[in-house]
């Protein structure tokens, strides 16, 4: 769950051949009903990147049920994740987008910037009950353009048996984390594992350490940011964390943990299904440690938002908005969260959910204070994210000190 409920590592590789044809079929305002918006609408189109067979079927069922509720048939199509945004941008200016469009939440900014999406308040949608950070993920210039039925974030997942055997408590602060990681490290096993690779995944995993310590992507060359990066450097230098984290994906981190080669890891709830299938593995989840007691944990928010693009038919837009509301009702949010190990976006639903799925409690708690990656910089976020993972690589390889790496990162992020 990118990622991040979809993390960046879960985006499926592009299948370039049929994408244009698929979007032509779904993106031209097809279905019944005249373009003036006065005719009866009996079907609408929906587009997402859930190309995995199971995911596609699940969302197809959900869209079909919601369509039936509002009196339309939903023609549901999926395209590979990397292909979605480029094709949407191509069709945005001509208003030939589908009636209902799913976007990874960091991508909403650049699509909304084109004017291709409609503000959801014009349909009378009630935004109450959604956590502030979740609404922020679907907001552009003060208006809500997208809503996420469920979301995700990352937490500390640990091997309960290894911690018990070593007499180590679950760490809550950075000092406790360094101590625990050192005591848990053995020949053939590291105490801690993260994804520090040179992609947006590496940035995503670093953000809780940066943000919780008061660091900010608007100004990367600060003592707070340097302290966060120094923590990762210290873990690698001490041998508590493998140098291979520079190349690991979140999937690799998971594999190391399941194989018993890492006692703790930073990862997301999308790993729970596989963790549950690992024989003799007893694991727990805790919030990511903060530098010192009293600091508030701030994690990045993952998940997809559903939007209603502009079209020639107001009636079609209204029907699409009604389906969007249905996807975000309490029943669907709870069902989707249970099935996918994500967190419901409505706070009241999330509270009920943790009672029913205790393994999600730490993730749901972290979501309460989670932030959208684009919340501060909007469309400029990708440039900052690139600068951050470049700094991580430079510092962990020893090419630069954290201070030097972050000074360079600030220059990268603010260059024309």
């Amino acid at each position: 769950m990118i990622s991040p409920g979809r993390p960046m590592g879960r985006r499926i590789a592009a299948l370039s051949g049929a994408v244009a044809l698929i979007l032509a079929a779904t993106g031209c305002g097809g279905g019944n009903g005249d373009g003036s918006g006065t005719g009866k609408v009996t079907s609408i189109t929906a587009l997402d990147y859930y190309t995995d067979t199971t995911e596609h079927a699940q969302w197809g069922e959900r869209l079909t049920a919601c369509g039936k509720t509002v009196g339309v048939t939903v023609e549901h199509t999926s395209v590979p994740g990397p292909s979605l945004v480029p094709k949407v941008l191509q069709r945005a200016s001509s208003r030939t987008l589908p009636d209902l469009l799913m976007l990874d939440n960091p991508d909403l900014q650049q699509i909304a910037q084109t004017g291709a999406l409609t503000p959801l308040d014009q349909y009378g949608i009630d935004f109450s009950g959604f956590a502030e950070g979740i609404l922020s993920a679907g907001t552009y210039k003060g208006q809500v353009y997208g809503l996420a039925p469920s979301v995700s974030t990352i937490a500390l997942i640990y091997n309960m048996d290894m911690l018990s055997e070593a007499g180590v408590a679950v760490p809550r602060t950075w000092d406790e984390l360094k101590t625990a990681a050192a005591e848990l490290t053995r020949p053939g096993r590291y105490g801690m594992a993260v994804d520090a690779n040179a992609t947006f995944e590496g940035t995503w995993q670093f953000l809780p350490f940066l943000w919780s310590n008061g660091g900010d992507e608007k100004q990367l060359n600060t003592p707070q940011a340097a302290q966060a990066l120094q923590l990762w450097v210290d873990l690698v230098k001490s041998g508590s964390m493998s140098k291979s984290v520079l190349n690991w994906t979140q999937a690799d981190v998971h594999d190391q943990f399941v194989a018993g080669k890492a006692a703790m890891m930073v990862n997301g709830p999308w790993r729970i299904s596989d963790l549950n299938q690992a024989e003799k593995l007893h694991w727990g989840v805790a919030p990511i440690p903060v530098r010192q007691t009293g600091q508030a944990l701030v994690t990045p928010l993952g998940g997809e938002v559903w939007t209603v693009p502009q079209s020639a038919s107001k009636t079609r837009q209204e029907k699409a908005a009604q389906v969007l509301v249905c996807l975000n009702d309490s029943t669907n949010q709870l069902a989707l969260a249970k099935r996918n190990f994500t967190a419901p976006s409505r706070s009241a639903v999330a509270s009920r959910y943790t009672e029913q799925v205790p393994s999600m409690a730490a993730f749901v708690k972290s979501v309460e204070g989670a932030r959208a990656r684009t919340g501060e910089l909007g469309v400029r976020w990708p440039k900052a994210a690139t600068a951050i993972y470049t700094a991580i690589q430079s510092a962990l390889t020893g090419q630069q000190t954290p201070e030097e790496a972050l000074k360079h990162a600030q220059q990268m992020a603010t260059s024309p």
Side-chain angles (χ1 to χ4, degrees), residues 305-347:
V305 295
W306 288 86
T307 68
V308 178
Q310 297 278 1
S311 75
S313 170
K314 298 301 181 186
T315 307
R316 299 180 69 82
Q317 290 177 187
E318 290 168 359
K319 286 294 185 181
Q322 290 171 22
V323 173
L324 183 150
V325 169
C326 175
L327 290 176
N328 282 275
D329 69 20
S330 297
T331 299
N332 278 310
Q333 285 198 1
L334 188 59
L336 285 165
K338 284 183 175 180
R339 187 164 183 173
N340 299 325
F341 291 106
T342 49
S345 294
R346 295 183 186 273
S347 300

mmCIF file of all heavy atoms in Angstrom, residues 305-347:
data_model
loop_
_atom_site.group_PDB
_atom_site.id
_atom_site.type_symbol
_atom_site.label_atom_id
_atom_site.label_comp_id
_atom_site.label_asym_id
_atom_site.label_seq_id
_atom_site.Cartn_x
_atom_site.Cartn_y
_atom_site.Cartn_z
ATOM 1 N N VAL A 305 -7.089 8.084 -3.769
ATOM 2 C CA VAL A 305 -8.295 8.902 -3.676
ATOM 3 C C VAL A 305 -9.121 8.725 -4.945
ATOM 4 O O VAL A 305 -8.590 8.524 -6.038
ATOM 5 C CB VAL A 305 -7.968 10.403 -3.476
ATOM 6 C CG1 VAL A 305 -7.293 10.624 -2.141
ATOM 7 C CG2 VAL A 305 -7.091 10.937 -4.603
ATOM 8 N N TRP A 306 -10.445 8.811 -4.802
ATOM 9 C CA TRP A 306 -11.352 8.749 -5.940
ATOM 10 C C TRP A 306 -11.831 10.155 -6.254
ATOM 11 O O TRP A 306 -12.153 10.929 -5.352
ATOM 12 C CB TRP A 306 -12.526 7.821 -5.633
ATOM 13 C CG TRP A 306 -12.111 6.383 -5.618
ATOM 14 C CD1 TRP A 306 -11.597 5.685 -4.561
ATOM 15 C CD2 TRP A 306 -12.136 5.476 -6.731
ATOM 16 N NE1 TRP A 306 -11.313 4.397 -4.935
ATOM 17 C CE2 TRP A 306 -11.633 4.234 -6.263
ATOM 18 C CE3 TRP A 306 -12.544 5.590 -8.061
ATOM 19 C CZ2 TRP A 306 -11.524 3.118 -7.097
ATOM 20 C CZ3 TRP A 306 -12.436 4.467 -8.877
ATOM 21 C CH2 TRP A 306 -11.936 3.252 -8.402
ATOM 22 N N THR A 307 -11.848 10.481 -7.523
ATOM 23 C CA THR A 307 -12.171 11.837 -7.962
ATOM 24 C C THR A 307 -13.244 11.808 -9.049
ATOM 25 O O THR A 307 -13.492 10.762 -9.672
ATOM 26 C CB THR A 307 -10.920 12.531 -8.536
ATOM 27 O OG1 THR A 307 -10.545 11.889 -9.769
ATOM 28 C CG2 THR A 307 -9.750 12.464 -7.559
ATOM 29 N N VAL A 308 -13.845 12.974 -9.289
ATOM 30 C CA VAL A 308 -14.843 13.130 -10.353
ATOM 31 C C VAL A 308 -14.294 14.147 -11.361
ATOM 32 O O VAL A 308 -14.285 15.351 -11.088
ATOM 33 C CB VAL A 308 -16.197 13.612 -9.801
ATOM 34 C CG1 VAL A 308 -17.201 13.800 -10.944
ATOM 35 C CG2 VAL A 308 -16.740 12.621 -8.774
ATOM 36 N N PRO A 309 -13.823 13.694 -12.519
ATOM 37 C CA PRO A 309 -13.298 14.617 -13.525
ATOM 38 C C PRO A 309 -14.377 15.480 -14.176
ATOM 39 O O PRO A 309 -15.568 15.165 -14.136
ATOM 40 C CB PRO A 309 -12.666 13.673 -14.565
ATOM 41 C CG PRO A 309 -12.392 12.410 -13.820
ATOM 42 C CD PRO A 309 -13.533 12.293 -12.849
ATOM 43 N N GLN A 310 -13.925 16.565 -14.774
ATOM 44 C CA GLN A 310 -14.809 17.422 -15.559
ATOM 45 C C GLN A 310 -15.294 16.641 -16.789
ATOM 46 O O GLN A 310 -14.549 15.859 -17.377
ATOM 47 C CB GLN A 310 -14.054 18.666 -16.035
ATOM 48 C CG GLN A 310 -13.546 19.577 -14.947
ATOM 49 C CD GLN A 310 -14.622 20.527 -14.438
ATOM 50 O OE1 GLN A 310 -15.772 20.488 -14.888
ATOM 51 N NE2 GLN A 310 -14.233 21.392 -13.513
ATOM 52 N N SER A 311 -16.543 16.864 -17.187
ATOM 53 C CA SER A 311 -17.056 16.271 -18.418
ATOM 54 C C SER A 311 -18.144 17.186 -18.971
ATOM 55 O O SER A 311 -18.547 18.161 -18.330
ATOM 56 C CB SER A 311 -17.631 14.873 -18.163
ATOM 57 O OG SER A 311 -18.892 14.943 -17.514
ATOM 58 N N ALA A 312 -18.622 16.854 -20.167
ATOM 59 C CA ALA A 312 -19.671 17.665 -20.791
ATOM 60 C C ALA A 312 -21.033 17.424 -20.160
ATOM 61 O O ALA A 312 -21.965 18.197 -20.380
ATOM 62 C CB ALA A 312 -19.736 17.365 -22.292
ATOM 63 N N SER A 313 -21.145 16.363 -19.381
ATOM 64 C CA SER A 313 -22.435 16.002 -18.793
ATOM 65 C C SER A 313 -22.427 16.179 -17.280
ATOM 66 O O SER A 313 -21.758 15.450 -16.558
ATOM 67 C CB SER A 313 -22.778 14.549 -19.134
ATOM 68 O OG SER A 313 -23.904 14.114 -18.400
ATOM 69 N N LYS A 314 -23.180 17.148 -16.797
ATOM 70 C CA LYS A 314 -23.296 17.363 -15.354
ATOM 71 C C LYS A 314 -24.000 16.191 -14.688
ATOM 72 O O LYS A 314 -23.715 15.851 -13.536
ATOM 73 C CB LYS A 314 -24.052 18.666 -15.069
ATOM 74 C CG LYS A 314 -23.369 19.912 -15.611
ATOM 75 C CD LYS A 314 -21.982 20.091 -15.033
ATOM 76 C CE LYS A 314 -21.303 21.358 -15.571
ATOM 77 N NZ LYS A 314 -19.902 21.462 -15.114
ATOM 78 N N THR A 315 -24.924 15.572 -15.419
ATOM 79 C CA THR A 315 -25.639 14.435 -14.855
ATOM 80 C C THR A 315 -24.692 13.268 -14.602
ATOM 81 O O THR A 315 -24.777 12.590 -13.578
ATOM 82 C CB THR A 315 -26.765 13.981 -15.800
ATOM 83 O OG1 THR A 315 -27.587 15.098 -16.116
ATOM 84 C CG2 THR A 315 -27.615 12.905 -15.151
ATOM 85 N N ARG A 316 -23.783 13.054 -15.537
ATOM 86 C CA ARG A 316 -22.800 11.984 -15.365
ATOM 87 C C ARG A 316 -21.891 12.280 -14.167
ATOM 88 O O ARG A 316 -21.543 11.392 -13.385
ATOM 89 C CB ARG A 316 -21.959 11.820 -16.630
ATOM 90 C CG ARG A 316 -22.740 11.442 -17.875
ATOM 91 C CD ARG A 316 -21.828 11.296 -19.073
ATOM 92 N NE ARG A 316 -20.977 10.138 -18.914
ATOM 93 C CZ ARG A 316 -21.352 8.880 -19.202
ATOM 94 N NH1 ARG A 316 -22.568 8.655 -19.654
ATOM 95 N NH2 ARG A 316 -20.530 7.875 -19.028
ATOM 96 N N GLN A 317 -21.486 13.533 -14.025
ATOM 97 C CA GLN A 317 -20.657 13.925 -12.885
ATOM 98 C C GLN A 317 -21.387 13.652 -11.577
ATOM 99 O O GLN A 317 -20.798 13.152 -10.618
ATOM 100 C CB GLN A 317 -20.281 15.404 -12.993
ATOM 101 C CG GLN A 317 -19.308 15.715 -14.120
ATOM 102 C CD GLN A 317 -19.015 17.199 -14.258
ATOM 103 O OE1 GLN A 317 -18.358 17.626 -15.190
ATOM 104 N NE2 GLN A 317 -19.515 18.007 -13.335
ATOM 105 N N GLU A 318 -22.660 13.979 -11.538
ATOM 106 C CA GLU A 318 -23.431 13.774 -10.307
ATOM 107 C C GLU A 318 -23.560 12.292 -9.972
ATOM 108 O O GLU A 318 -23.459 11.892 -8.804
ATOM 109 C CB GLU A 318 -24.809 14.421 -10.454
ATOM 110 C CG GLU A 318 -24.749 15.955 -10.460
ATOM 111 C CD GLU A 318 -26.062 16.592 -10.893
ATOM 112 O OE1 GLU A 318 -27.011 15.843 -11.201
ATOM 113 O OE2 GLU A 318 -26.116 17.835 -10.934
ATOM 114 N N LYS A 319 -23.769 11.468 -10.980
ATOM 115 C CA LYS A 319 -23.859 10.032 -10.742
ATOM 116 C C LYS A 319 -22.509 9.489 -10.252
ATOM 117 O O LYS A 319 -22.453 8.655 -9.334
ATOM 118 C CB LYS A 319 -24.286 9.307 -12.016
ATOM 119 C CG LYS A 319 -25.754 9.481 -12.369
ATOM 120 C CD LYS A 319 -26.656 8.821 -11.331
ATOM 121 C CE LYS A 319 -28.126 8.887 -11.736
ATOM 122 N NZ LYS A 319 -29.006 8.265 -10.700
ATOM 123 N N ALA A 320 -21.447 9.959 -10.850
ATOM 124 C CA ALA A 320 -20.120 9.530 -10.422
ATOM 125 C C ALA A 320 -19.858 9.942 -8.973
ATOM 126 O O ALA A 320 -19.286 9.173 -8.185
ATOM 127 C CB ALA A 320 -19.051 10.124 -11.338
ATOM 128 N N ALA A 321 -20.288 11.142 -8.623
ATOM 129 C CA ALA A 321 -20.113 11.620 -7.247
ATOM 130 C C ALA A 321 -20.906 10.759 -6.265
ATOM 131 O O ALA A 321 -20.456 10.489 -5.148
ATOM 132 C CB ALA A 321 -20.549 13.078 -7.145
ATOM 133 N N GLN A 322 -22.079 10.313 -6.679
ATOM 134 C CA GLN A 322 -22.884 9.455 -5.810
ATOM 135 C C GLN A 322 -22.200 8.101 -5.585
ATOM 136 O O GLN A 322 -22.231 7.553 -4.477
ATOM 137 C CB GLN A 322 -24.273 9.251 -6.423
ATOM 138 C CG GLN A 322 -25.138 10.499 -6.408
ATOM 139 C CD GLN A 322 -26.415 10.329 -7.224
ATOM 140 O OE1 GLN A 322 -26.871 9.219 -7.472
ATOM 141 N NE2 GLN A 322 -26.997 11.445 -7.657
ATOM 142 N N VAL A 323 -21.567 7.571 -6.636
ATOM 143 C CA VAL A 323 -20.817 6.327 -6.475
ATOM 144 C C VAL A 323 -19.618 6.559 -5.548
ATOM 145 O O VAL A 323 -19.314 5.732 -4.683
ATOM 146 C CB VAL A 323 -20.339 5.792 -7.844
ATOM 147 C CG1 VAL A 323 -19.406 4.597 -7.659
ATOM 148 C CG2 VAL A 323 -21.539 5.391 -8.698
ATOM 149 N N LEU A 324 -18.946 7.692 -5.696
ATOM 150 C CA LEU A 324 -17.823 8.039 -4.830
ATOM 151 C C LEU A 324 -18.266 8.094 -3.365
ATOM 152 O O LEU A 324 -17.561 7.597 -2.474
ATOM 153 C CB LEU A 324 -17.224 9.372 -5.268
ATOM 154 C CG LEU A 324 -15.980 9.880 -4.533
ATOM 155 C CD1 LEU A 324 -15.118 10.720 -5.464
ATOM 156 C CD2 LEU A 324 -16.340 10.712 -3.315
ATOM 157 N N VAL A 325 -19.419 8.686 -3.117
ATOM 158 C CA VAL A 325 -19.952 8.754 -1.745
ATOM 159 C C VAL A 325 -20.192 7.347 -1.209
ATOM 160 O O VAL A 325 -19.874 7.036 -0.057
ATOM 161 C CB VAL A 325 -21.249 9.582 -1.708
ATOM 162 C CG1 VAL A 325 -21.946 9.429 -0.358
ATOM 163 C CG2 VAL A 325 -20.949 11.054 -1.967
ATOM 164 N N CYS A 326 -20.754 6.492 -2.052
ATOM 165 C CA CYS A 326 -21.020 5.114 -1.643
ATOM 166 C C CYS A 326 -19.727 4.391 -1.270
ATOM 167 O O CYS A 326 -19.664 3.692 -0.258
ATOM 168 C CB CYS A 326 -21.752 4.383 -2.769
ATOM 169 S SG CYS A 326 -22.025 2.623 -2.455
ATOM 170 N N LEU A 327 -18.678 4.556 -2.078
ATOM 171 C CA LEU A 327 -17.392 3.914 -1.786
ATOM 172 C C LEU A 327 -16.845 4.357 -0.434
ATOM 173 O O LEU A 327 -16.115 3.622 0.226
ATOM 174 C CB LEU A 327 -16.371 4.255 -2.872
ATOM 175 C CG LEU A 327 -16.573 3.644 -4.257
ATOM 176 C CD1 LEU A 327 -15.522 4.188 -5.221
ATOM 177 C CD2 LEU A 327 -16.496 2.122 -4.208
ATOM 178 N N ASN A 328 -17.186 5.572 -0.042
ATOM 179 C CA ASN A 328 -16.666 6.143 1.202
ATOM 180 C C ASN A 328 -17.621 6.051 2.375
ATOM 181 O O ASN A 328 -17.369 6.650 3.413
ATOM 182 C CB ASN A 328 -16.274 7.609 0.970
ATOM 183 C CG ASN A 328 -14.942 7.756 0.252
ATOM 184 O OD1 ASN A 328 -13.895 7.731 0.878
ATOM 185 N ND2 ASN A 328 -14.991 7.891 -1.065
ATOM 186 N N ASP A 329 -18.725 5.287 2.220
ATOM 187 C CA ASP A 329 -19.615 5.172 3.373
ATOM 188 C C ASP A 329 -19.004 4.216 4.394
ATOM 189 O O ASP A 329 -18.034 3.502 4.124
ATOM 190 C CB ASP A 329 -21.033 4.764 2.963
ATOM 191 C CG ASP A 329 -21.154 3.336 2.448
ATOM 192 O OD1 ASP A 329 -20.268 2.506 2.737
ATOM 193 O OD2 ASP A 329 -22.147 3.041 1.750
ATOM 194 N N SER A 330 -19.549 4.212 5.592
ATOM 195 C CA SER A 330 -18.954 3.456 6.694
ATOM 196 C C SER A 330 -18.868 1.965 6.404
ATOM 197 O O SER A 330 -17.865 1.312 6.730
ATOM 198 C CB SER A 330 -19.769 3.695 7.973
ATOM 199 O OG SER A 330 -19.717 5.060 8.347
ATOM 200 N N THR A 331 -19.889 1.413 5.775
ATOM 201 C CA THR A 331 -19.904 -0.024 5.491
ATOM 202 C C THR A 331 -18.780 -0.407 4.549
ATOM 203 O O THR A 331 -18.045 -1.376 4.786
ATOM 204 C CB THR A 331 -21.258 -0.426 4.870
ATOM 205 O OG1 THR A 331 -22.307 -0.126 5.805
ATOM 206 C CG2 THR A 331 -21.280 -1.912 4.551
ATOM 207 N N ASN A 332 -18.616 0.343 3.470
ATOM 208 C CA ASN A 332 -17.562 0.036 2.514
ATOM 209 C C ASN A 332 -16.174 0.296 3.084
ATOM 210 O O ASN A 332 -15.236 -0.460 2.820
ATOM 211 C CB ASN A 332 -17.769 0.839 1.225
ATOM 212 C CG ASN A 332 -18.779 0.189 0.309
ATOM 213 O OD1 ASN A 332 -18.699 -0.994 0.024
ATOM 214 N ND2 ASN A 332 -19.753 0.959 -0.163
ATOM 215 N N GLN A 333 -16.034 1.369 3.849
ATOM 216 C CA GLN A 333 -14.726 1.638 4.453
ATOM 217 C C GLN A 333 -14.289 0.492 5.357
ATOM 218 O O GLN A 333 -13.136 0.049 5.302
ATOM 219 C CB GLN A 333 -14.763 2.946 5.247
ATOM 220 C CG GLN A 333 -14.751 4.190 4.395
ATOM 221 C CD GLN A 333 -14.353 5.431 5.180
ATOM 222 O OE1 GLN A 333 -14.064 5.354 6.374
ATOM 223 N NE2 GLN A 333 -14.341 6.562 4.510
ATOM 224 N N LEU A 334 -15.203 -0.014 6.168
ATOM 225 C CA LEU A 334 -14.858 -1.096 7.085
ATOM 226 C C LEU A 334 -14.551 -2.379 6.321
ATOM 227 O O LEU A 334 -13.575 -3.079 6.625
ATOM 228 C CB LEU A 334 -16.011 -1.328 8.066
ATOM 229 C CG LEU A 334 -15.745 -2.307 9.218
ATOM 230 C CD1 LEU A 334 -14.555 -1.832 10.055
ATOM 231 C CD2 LEU A 334 -16.982 -2.452 10.094
ATOM 232 N N ALA A 335 -15.350 -2.676 5.302
ATOM 233 C CA ALA A 335 -15.141 -3.897 4.526
ATOM 234 C C ALA A 335 -13.810 -3.857 3.774
ATOM 235 O O ALA A 335 -13.061 -4.843 3.747
ATOM 236 C CB ALA A 335 -16.295 -4.095 3.550
ATOM 237 N N LEU A 336 -13.497 -2.710 3.161
ATOM 238 C CA LEU A 336 -12.251 -2.563 2.424
ATOM 239 C C LEU A 336 -11.045 -2.668 3.360
ATOM 240 O O LEU A 336 -10.034 -3.294 3.030
ATOM 241 C CB LEU A 336 -12.224 -1.225 1.689
ATOM 242 C CG LEU A 336 -13.108 -1.135 0.437
ATOM 243 C CD1 LEU A 336 -13.293 0.327 0.023
ATOM 244 C CD2 LEU A 336 -12.488 -1.935 -0.707
ATOM 245 N N ALA A 337 -11.145 -2.045 4.523
ATOM 246 C CA ALA A 337 -10.040 -2.073 5.479
ATOM 247 C C ALA A 337 -9.767 -3.500 5.956
ATOM 248 O O ALA A 337 -8.609 -3.932 6.042
ATOM 249 C CB ALA A 337 -10.349 -1.169 6.663
ATOM 250 N N LYS A 338 -10.814 -4.247 6.247
ATOM 251 C CA LYS A 338 -10.641 -5.622 6.718
ATOM 252 C C LYS A 338 -10.008 -6.494 5.636
ATOM 253 O O LYS A 338 -9.161 -7.333 5.914
ATOM 254 C CB LYS A 338 -11.991 -6.212 7.130
ATOM 255 C CG LYS A 338 -12.517 -5.720 8.467
ATOM 256 C CD LYS A 338 -13.820 -6.423 8.801
ATOM 257 C CE LYS A 338 -14.317 -6.054 10.190
ATOM 258 N NZ LYS A 338 -15.582 -6.734 10.528
ATOM 259 N N ARG A 339 -10.435 -6.275 4.423
ATOM 260 C CA ARG A 339 -9.949 -7.119 3.330
ATOM 261 C C ARG A 339 -8.501 -6.807 2.963
ATOM 262 O O ARG A 339 -7.727 -7.697 2.615
ATOM 263 C CB ARG A 339 -10.843 -6.939 2.114
ATOM 264 C CG ARG A 339 -10.547 -7.895 0.974
ATOM 265 C CD ARG A 339 -11.688 -7.939 -0.008
ATOM 266 N NE ARG A 339 -11.456 -8.888 -1.069
ATOM 267 C CZ ARG A 339 -12.354 -9.225 -1.977
ATOM 268 N NH1 ARG A 339 -13.558 -8.686 -1.923
ATOM 269 N NH2 ARG A 339 -12.073 -10.096 -2.924
ATOM 270 N N ASN A 340 -8.124 -5.533 3.037
ATOM 271 C CA ASN A 340 -6.816 -5.099 2.546
ATOM 272 C C ASN A 340 -5.818 -4.740 3.631
ATOM 273 O O ASN A 340 -4.692 -4.356 3.319
ATOM 274 C CB ASN A 340 -6.997 -3.881 1.625
ATOM 275 C CG ASN A 340 -7.848 -4.196 0.420
ATOM 276 O OD1 ASN A 340 -7.796 -5.291 -0.117
ATOM 277 N ND2 ASN A 340 -8.639 -3.227 -0.017
ATOM 278 N N PHE A 341 -6.207 -4.844 4.911
ATOM 279 C CA PHE A 341 -5.360 -4.403 6.015
ATOM 280 C C PHE A 341 -4.945 -2.941 5.817
ATOM 281 O O PHE A 341 -3.755 -2.593 5.804
ATOM 282 C CB PHE A 341 -4.132 -5.301 6.171
ATOM 283 C CG PHE A 341 -4.461 -6.680 6.660
ATOM 284 C CD1 PHE A 341 -4.421 -7.764 5.801
ATOM 285 C CD2 PHE A 341 -4.834 -6.898 7.974
ATOM 286 C CE1 PHE A 341 -4.737 -9.035 6.234
ATOM 287 C CE2 PHE A 341 -5.154 -8.175 8.427
ATOM 288 C CZ PHE A 341 -5.106 -9.245 7.550
ATOM 289 N N THR A 342 -5.943 -2.096 5.649
ATOM 290 C CA THR A 342 -5.743 -0.656 5.586
ATOM 291 C C THR A 342 -6.547 -0.021 6.711
ATOM 292 O O THR A 342 -7.251 -0.713 7.448
ATOM 293 C CB THR A 342 -6.189 -0.094 4.223
ATOM 294 O OG1 THR A 342 -7.510 -0.585 3.911
ATOM 295 C CG2 THR A 342 -5.240 -0.512 3.117
ATOM 296 N N ALA A 343 -6.451 1.289 6.844
ATOM 297 C CA ALA A 343 -7.154 1.989 7.918
ATOM 298 C C ALA A 343 -8.336 2.755 7.351
ATOM 299 O O ALA A 343 -8.172 3.526 6.395
ATOM 300 C CB ALA A 343 -6.206 2.954 8.626
ATOM 301 N N PRO A 344 -9.537 2.586 7.890
ATOM 302 C CA PRO A 344 -10.684 3.365 7.425
ATOM 303 C C PRO A 344 -10.422 4.853 7.589
ATOM 304 O O PRO A 344 -9.802 5.294 8.556
ATOM 305 C CB PRO A 344 -11.829 2.905 8.338
ATOM 306 C CG PRO A 344 -11.399 1.563 8.845
ATOM 307 C CD PRO A 344 -9.909 1.655 8.972
ATOM 308 N N SER A 345 -10.919 5.645 6.634
ATOM 309 C CA SER A 345 -10.621 7.078 6.644
ATOM 310 C C SER A 345 -11.486 7.869 7.614
ATOM 311 O O SER A 345 -11.125 8.975 7.993
ATOM 312 C CB SER A 345 -10.795 7.647 5.223
ATOM 313 O OG SER A 345 -9.831 7.091 4.364
ATOM 314 N N ARG A 346 -12.616 7.326 7.984
ATOM 315 C CA ARG A 346 -13.458 7.997 8.979
ATOM 316 C C ARG A 346 -13.032 7.552 10.373
ATOM 317 O O ARG A 346 -12.928 6.348 10.655
ATOM 318 C CB ARG A 346 -14.938 7.675 8.745
ATOM 319 C CG ARG A 346 -15.482 8.221 7.425
ATOM 320 C CD ARG A 346 -16.974 7.926 7.279
ATOM 321 N NE ARG A 346 -17.472 8.316 5.987
ATOM 322 C CZ ARG A 346 -17.915 9.537 5.675
ATOM 323 N NH1 ARG A 346 -17.897 10.484 6.602
ATOM 324 N NH2 ARG A 346 -18.361 9.804 4.475
ATOM 325 N N SER A 347 -12.785 8.504 11.245
ATOM 326 C CA SER A 347 -12.228 8.210 12.568
ATOM 327 C C SER A 347 -13.108 7.253 13.369
ATOM 328 O O SER A 347 -12.599 6.350 14.047
ATOM 329 C CB SER A 347 -12.020 9.505 13.346
ATOM 330 O OG SER A 347 -11.115 10.357 12.657
#
